[in-house]
Amino acid sequence: MSTSQRFDRGHTDDLMSFLAASPSPYHAAENAAERLEKAGFRRVAETDAWDTGTSEASAAGSGGKYVLRGGAIVAWYVPEGAAPHTPFRIIGAHTDSPNLRVKPLPDTGAHGWRQIAVEIYGGPLMNSWLDRDLGLAGRLTLRDGSSHLVNVDRPLLRVPQLAIHLDRAVSTDGLKLDKQRHLQPVWGLGDDVRDGDLIAFLEQEAGLPAGEVAGWDLMTHSVEPPAYLGRDRELMAGPRMDNLLSVHAGTAALAAVATGPGAADLPYIPVLAAFDHEENGSQSDTGADGPLLGTVLERSVFARGGSYEDRARAFAGAVCVSSDTGHAVHPNYAERHDPTHHPRAGGGPILKVNVNNRYATDGSGRAVWAAACEKADVPFQSFVSNNSMPCGTTIGPITAARHGIRTVDIGVAILSMHSARELCAANDPFLLANALVAFLEG
């Protein structure tokens, strides 16, 4: 048994708690930071000088540091005596998931129903949001510019489906949903729709003074908790596995490596980069296509006395695994998958390949991932899309192109991707975490 294998079924139990506690990217980033704090990591302020000071909050010197910005977190651990040109080993993931998000003028309604105006975020399976008890969570920004997280984690909203008696064709023609007209949730009764009702309600829920909220980033979530299912509890169902499963595994792996017996002798600087906005293109100040990761890594080199040459050497020797969920072969739609590549739930992490660079994996990246899995005694599988089907993408190609870092795309195979509730094998999350530990250790 490899010394890298540190996680068991308890990891999946902890994942379920993480999913339930992270209904928005902002909660996910905060929860990852809290777990890293317990492992000895300290937050570094982006507005501070990083090349001075000896306090725990300084970016100079050894130890665990992290930057928290909105729904994104970048964390890294510097071993004792690491040179400025020491290469990075990076786990990349994303904190956001497709859902329904509150519009700037949220209060609406008609025909005796009070409703909330929502916009579609990313590419959700819209039917999965129908007739489901929904909570509301996210970030409230106050007049002084500070932010406050809010989470109404109880049945508050519902998107009611049209009864079959009023749409007989649904049985033959299938369900057709108009994104504007058919997905606005109800949350009460009455014709007296008043501007400001929702925000006033959330101020009260969050214990904030009335009228203090100046902006908001709010989204719906299913309040049904994650759960094991199946005869032998060998499956796990839950929300936001795409991609909080990888955020959780990456956080656990980084904490394990930083607190392990070999932390002082690591040949690489292990990094976790969990971005926001992957589901809509990653183009934001907290997305993978923004400067956040590159800026943090550069500043960490310079904080340790490095030069631009040291920065170039550190990046040239770096490797990133972009960890995101992928598709397990669907038993009811096997023809939609490549006929020679059928990743199975419970078979270990998948290596994602696309020769048109929708995934960043190449042969050298495959070798890095294969070595990590062998060290951790973890099986892995290969995934390619059916040639007749468009291929999705990840932060992998963006990271490779933007930073010139060798990148390989991996993840856990799931069903019901982009549903309000997704499904995986209960043992795959801890297999992924074990392999990520081995990858970070080098």
Side-chain angles (χ1 to χ4, degrees):
M1 184 70 68
S2 167
T3 56
S4 294
Q5 229 168 344
R6 298 174 177 162
F7 302 110
D8 54 20
R9 190 62 170 259
H11 175 87
T12 305
D13 294 338
D14 190 61
L15 167 63
M16 294 166 70
S17 298
F18 185 80
L19 292 173
S22 304
S24 79
Y26 314 107
H27 289 83
E30 289 276 3
N31 287 330
E34 181 179 338
R35 288 160 182 258
L36 291 172
E37 286 267 353
K38 292 178 180 177
F41 285 68
R42 296 295 176 261
R43 184 173 182 176
V44 176
E46 292 185 82
T47 53
D48 288 348
W50 283 20
D51 57 352
T52 60
T54 57
S55 70
E56 286 186 326
S58 170
S62 60
K65 335 277 184 184
Y66 70 90
V67 164
L68 187 65
R69 183 194 291 186
I73 182 170
V74 179
W76 67 103
Y77 178 82
V78 181
E80 289 281 352
H85 61 266
T86 300
F88 300 101
R89 281 267 169 133
I90 305 162
I91 298 170
H94 67 88
T95 59
D96 60 318
S97 301
N99 54 24
L100 311 178
R101 301 206 172 187
V102 175
K103 288 184 175 181
L105 300 175
D107 299 294
T108 185
H111 306 292
W113 296 98
R114 300 179 68 186
Q115 295 176 275
I116 301 300
V118 296
E119 189 173 4
I120 311 302
Y121 178 83
L125 284 172
M126 293 186 293
N127 62 291
S128 71
W129 291 88
L130 302 178
D131 296 334
R132 190 180 291 275
D133 295 339
L134 303 175
L136 200 60
R139 178 177 65 175
L140 301 173
T141 302
L142 308 187
R143 294 185 182 278
D144 63 3
S146 63
S147 293
H148 191 99
L149 298 187
V150 63
N151 181 14
V152 184
D153 195 30
R154 65 177 187 273
L156 180 69
L157 310 169
R158 186 179 178 92
V159 182
Q161 189 169 188
L162 184 64
I164 193 171
H165 312 81
L166 304 178
D167 185 15
R168 296 290 184 180
V170 71
S171 297
T172 54
D173 299 341
L175 179 66
K176 295 180 176 62
L177 294 172
D178 182 282
K179 294 180 180 179
Q180 177 61 40
R181 293 185 294 124
H182 298 153
L183 291 172
Q184 308 306 310
V186 300
W187 78 310
L189 299 173
D191 294 310
D192 56 336
V193 175
R194 297 181 298 273
D195 288 343
D197 270 8
L198 177 66
I199 300 307
F201 165 76
L202 293 175
E203 286 175 332
Q204 188 174 33
E205 287 286 312
L208 298 171
E212 279 300 302
V213 172
W216 52 87
D217 303 279
L218 299 166
M219 60 208 70
T220 59
H221 67 275
S222 171
V223 298
E224 184 181 4
Y228 291 110
L229 66 145
R231 184 191 64 182
D232 299 318
R233 293 165 54 87
E234 59 194 336
L235 302 172
M236 191 197 90
R240 300 176 295 281
M241 290 188 199
D242 179 11
N243 185 35
L244 295 189
L245 189 158
S246 294
V247 174
H248 175 261
T251 302
L254 179 59
V257 168
T259 57
D265 301 318
L266 290 170
Y268 302 97
I269 294 175
V271 180
L272 169 69
F275 302 101
D276 200 353
H277 302 126
E278 189 272 349
E279 297 293 354
N280 62 6
S282 295
Q283 293 185 321
S284 71
D285 69 315
T286 52
D289 203 20
L292 180 60
L293 175 62
T295 299
V296 168
L297 297 186
E298 286 181 348
R299 292 184 71 183
S300 73
V301 170
F302 300 149
R304 288 177 283 118
S307 63
Y308 183 82
E309 185 71 11
D310 292 313
R311 177 263 186 219
R313 293 174 67 186
F315 277 52
V319 185
C320 173
V321 293
S322 165
S323 182
D324 203 345
T325 53
H327 304 292
V329 62
H330 197 301
N332 300 336
Y333 300 90
E335 73 281 359
R336 303 294 182 97
H337 300 263
D338 183 85
T340 59
H341 294 75
H342 279 176
R344 300 166 66 99
I350 57 174
L351 177 78
K352 299 193 251 184
V353 178
N354 179 264
V355 294
N356 294 301
N357 282 349
R358 299 293 285 172
Y359 303 130
T361 306
D362 62 9
S364 64
R366 184 190 190 281
V368 170
W369 183 243
C373 289
E374 181 179 2
K375 179 183 178 183
D377 194 22
V378 167
F380 76 92
Q381 313 172 79
S382 294
F383 170 85
V384 295
S385 291
N386 185 307
N387 287 336
S388 300
M389 298 281 176
C391 180
T393 190
T394 68
I395 65 167
I398 295 171
T399 303
R402 183 170 184 84
H403 306 296
I405 290 174
R406 180 170 42 153
T407 303
V408 53
D409 273 291
I410 59 96
V412 163
I414 69 172
L415 293 183
S416 306
M417 186 183 294
H418 285 198
S419 172
R421 196 167 177 84
E422 296 160 325
L423 181 71
C424 75
N427 66 326
D428 277 338
F430 65 81
L431 292 177
L432 172 65
N434 291 329
L436 290 177
V437 169
F439 166 74
L440 292 180
E441 289 177 338

